[in-house]
Amino acid sequence: MKIGITCYPTYGGSGVVATELGLELAARGHEIHFISSAMPVRMTAASEQIRFHEVEVMDYPLFDHPPYTLALASKMHNVAMNEGLDLLHVHYAIPHSVSAYLARAMLRPRRLPFVTTLHGTDVTLVGADRSYLPITRFSIEESDAVTAISHYLQKVTRDEFEVRQEVEMIPNFVNCDVFQPADGECRRGTFAREDERVLAHLSNFRPVKRVPDVIEIFHLVRREIPAKLLMIGDGPDRAIAEWMVREKRLSADVIFLGKQNQVQDLINCADVLLLPSDLESFGLAALEAMACGVPVVCSRVGGVPEVVRDGVDGFLVPPRDVKTMAAKALEILTDPVKREAMGRAGRQQANSRFCSDKIIPLYESLYRRVIGTR
Ligand code: GMT
């Protein structure tokens, strides 16, 4: 199949999932065309099977806001015509599914079905803004198929949007060959001494991720044991986190690594991953850590309990309860037997339910269905 994939190319889980999906599909012989404003995150290089089409938005003094949605629709239409695409798969409803709707209409009478995958904030935040709700609901209902990345998000979409369209659940996935325990091969020694435990946080540092809570949790842990904290990623709350680290005199123990591509190498240096978000529709970072055999301490929110089993792969704690999160992290960090058992369980959970070889065929059969129908 020839598939056009659109996503936000920035550092967010939806862009990561879209990119990994494209790479996996290409490895299975499909031709993938990324249509996006920049080369998507974690996409290393284009190849015969994988092409990248940059959406350029014309600027003009009259335009207060450059019309990205229209530029994307035009690009989707052109790529579909020139490359003979079979379908479009857009990640994140706003505005991608609106652009896909326009491209599909422009191409008539040729068929160009589109699939919309909902990732979370497109429904819970953006779509829930009353002014965006009608157009989000419209573009979801107009999609030839809609998927949500967890049962939680599937239910929220059905209940709050009251969409007529069926919303299927296809969970996020991880490449279990790339994300796997490093067996002592990681660069742990560059970050921490032998006697120090390593905590990690991976996100886009948006307010919903509660980055300041990560620093609070580490502060409480650091009072009890020698430890280092790896902060992987970047975003709006990095500045406040850096300020907190200075205030709490933790600068020697907290390492801000910024945006990174080979995150598996860094996760593998950690003894526990912290994900104290206010909301996660899935929690991709937790799954990536589990696939590496690293236990997690996460908020019990949204779709996270569908991925992480409390007391088995790590711990689930009410959001903002930093004291309990620190206590749970310490429980893991001070008990090597528990740490290893939880790491093994997490790896097994990732292996049995969320590896790409289990999930990609679900997308393939969905594509075949939408190409063959409507
Ligand atoms: O979390 C964000 O900041 C945005 C969003 C994105 O576009 O990356 O993340 C969502 O999609 C991820 C991939 O499917 C999920 O793992 C995240 O849980 C989800 N975030 C929220 O629901 C807050």
Side-chain angles (χ1 to χ4, degrees):
M1 286 178 267
K2 293 187 179 189
I3 304 155
I5 294 183
T6 291
C7 62
Y8 282 110
T10 50
Y11 282 72
S14 59
V16 171
V17 170
T19 311
E20 296 287 352
L21 175 62
L23 298 176
E24 295 279 353
L25 288 165
R28 285 160 187 264
H30 302 290
E31 190 177 297
I32 302 303
H33 294 265
F34 284 105
I35 307 169
S36 185
S37 58
M39 184 86 99
V41 55
R42 295 202 196 167
M43 183 177 153
T44 36
S47 69
E48 189 57 27
Q49 291 298 119
I50 305 175
R51 323 269 179 78
F52 168 60
H53 307 267
E54 185 174 346
V55 180
E56 280 159 12
V57 189
M58 191 184 85
D59 210 354
Y60 185 69
L62 199 64
F63 297 156
D64 265 350
H65 308 286
Y68 178 72
T69 308
L70 302 184
L72 176 60
S74 301
K75 186 62 102 178
M76 285 170 162
H77 168 265
N78 293 350
V79 175
M81 284 236 300
N82 298 341
E83 307 288 348
L85 295 187
D86 293 308
L87 85 155
L88 295 169
H89 185 174
V90 300
H91 293 259
Y92 215 88
I94 299 288
H96 302 150
S97 52
V98 177
S99 303
Y101 168 78
L102 291 174
R104 185 181 69 186
M106 284 159 76
L107 219 76
R108 273 187 198 127
R110 233 206 78 187
R111 280 193 75 241
L112 181 65
F114 74 93
V115 175
T116 299
T117 289
L118 305 170
H119 283 269
T121 39
D122 43 358
V123 170
T124 53
L125 292 182
V126 182
D129 177 328
R130 282 292 166 222
S131 61
Y132 281 108
L133 195 135
I135 196 159
T136 309
R137 182 192 287 140
F138 173 78
S139 64
I140 290 173
E141 285 188 338
E142 278 297 325
S143 307
D144 293 84
V146 182
T147 73
I149 44 97
S150 62
H151 289 295
Y152 157 79
L153 190 60
Q154 182 186 38
K155 187 170 178 336
V156 170
T157 312
R158 280 179 186 155
D159 293 353
E160 287 182 17
F161 277 60
E162 296 173 344
V163 288
R164 292 186 302 265
Q165 171 75 288
E166 193 196 338
V167 180
E168 297 174 46
M169 203 289 280
I170 301 185
N172 285 339
F173 57 89
V174 66
N175 183 326
C176 292
D177 296 328
V178 174
F179 286 82
Q180 59 168 315
D183 290 331
E185 282 168 30
C186 86
R187 296 178 285 137
R188 191 188 170 99
T190 48
F191 301 119
R193 296 187 315 259
E194 263 311 287
D195 64 319
E196 290 174 320
R197 298 290 101 216
V198 179
L199 298 86
H201 171 73
L202 163 63
S203 79
N204 50 26
F205 289 44
R206 290 188 214 165
V208 71
K209 304 292 175 182
R210 303 287 303 173
V211 176
D213 286 3
V214 176
I215 306 300
E216 292 286 1
I217 296 164
F218 179 71
H219 189 210
L220 295 172
V221 169
R222 183 67 194 83
R223 275 188 196 161
E224 304 299 323
I225 57 169
K228 287 281 193 311
L229 172 64
L230 304 184
M231 297 291 281
I232 312 163
D234 210 333
D237 279 357
R238 177 168 173 172
I240 182 156
E242 286 180 330
W243 176 81
M244 285 175 70
V245 165
R246 282 193 300 275
E247 284 289 297
K248 292 178 185 296
R249 302 187 190 287
L250 289 169
S251 300
D253 295 325
V254 182
I255 303 154
F256 287 89
L257 291 156
K259 292 178 180 176
Q260 297 285 328
N261 264 343
Q262 308 290 323
V263 292
Q264 66 277 12
D265 296 345
L266 297 164
I267 292 173
N268 257 315
C269 296
D271 298 299
V272 68
L273 180 112
L274 304 175
L275 195 65
S277 314
D278 262 344
L279 182 61
E280 288 291 345
S281 299
F282 186 88
L284 187 65
L287 175 60
E288 291 179 335
M290 285 158 59
C292 290
V294 174
V296 296
V297 174
C298 304
S299 305
R300 188 194 298 278
V301 287
V304 179
E306 297 172 42
V307 184
V308 180
R309 297 164 299 178
D310 185 30
V312 180
D313 322 298
F315 291 108
L316 296 176
V317 178
R320 304 190 180 198
D321 184 351
V322 290
K323 276 195 186 136
T324 308
M325 289 187 193
K328 292 297 179 189
L330 277 165
E331 201 176 316
I332 295 170
L333 294 170
T334 54
D335 183 345
V337 176
K338 182 170 274 179
R339 194 169 74 233
E340 264 184 40
M342 286 190 153
R344 259 198 315 277
R347 171 71 191 170
Q348 204 179 13
Q349 163 88 331
N351 246 332
S352 60
R353 294 188 49 207
F354 299 108
C355 282
S356 21
D357 58 336
K358 303 228 158 32
I359 308 301
I360 307 302
L362 303 179
Y363 280 116
E364 287 179 306
S365 59
L366 176 71
Y367 295 162
R368 278 190 216 101
R369 217 173 67 222
V370 298
I371 291 173
T373 57
R374 183 156 163 167

